[in-house]
Amino acid sequence: MTETWRLKPPPVTELDGWQYLGWHCCWCGSLLREGARSAGRAEGHSGAHDLSIEVYECDPPCPERPTEIEPE
């Protein structure tokens, strides 16, 4: 079996309101006017409530985006 490696976005608890709503880059916090792309799913829970949401990043890729990846 081959493992896939994928860069995970920051957890929901590290996002501000605008990043959570998809208006700002999840890595640098810049306003996403044009050319945004999905960065994946930010995971998070509050008790039994799933707060996970798809977040977005700058396109071309954000310079503050980490280069290390984790196994999926």
Side-chain angles (χ1 to χ4, degrees):
M1 179 178 203
T2 306
E3 272 190 66
T4 57
W5 292 77
R6 181 168 188 237
L7 183 64
K8 291 192 172 202
V12 168
T13 55
E14 294 180 14
L15 302 175
D16 66 29
W18 294 113
Q19 290 168 317
Y20 185 81
L21 292 172
W23 285 81
H24 290 185
C25 175
C26 69
W27 305 114
C28 69
S30 297
L31 179 61
L32 298 172
R33 294 175 190 248
E34 295 177 12
R37 65 184 194 166
S38 175
R41 187 169 173 87
E43 302 289 331
H45 292 85
S46 178
H49 302 283
D50 184 6
L51 302 176
S52 302
I53 192 165
E54 186 172 358
V55 291
Y56 299 91
E57 65 181 346
C58 304
D59 189 25
C62 182
E64 293 189 31
R65 179 182 185 186
T67 56
E68 294 181 11
I69 52 177
E70 303 173 7
E72 199 170 66

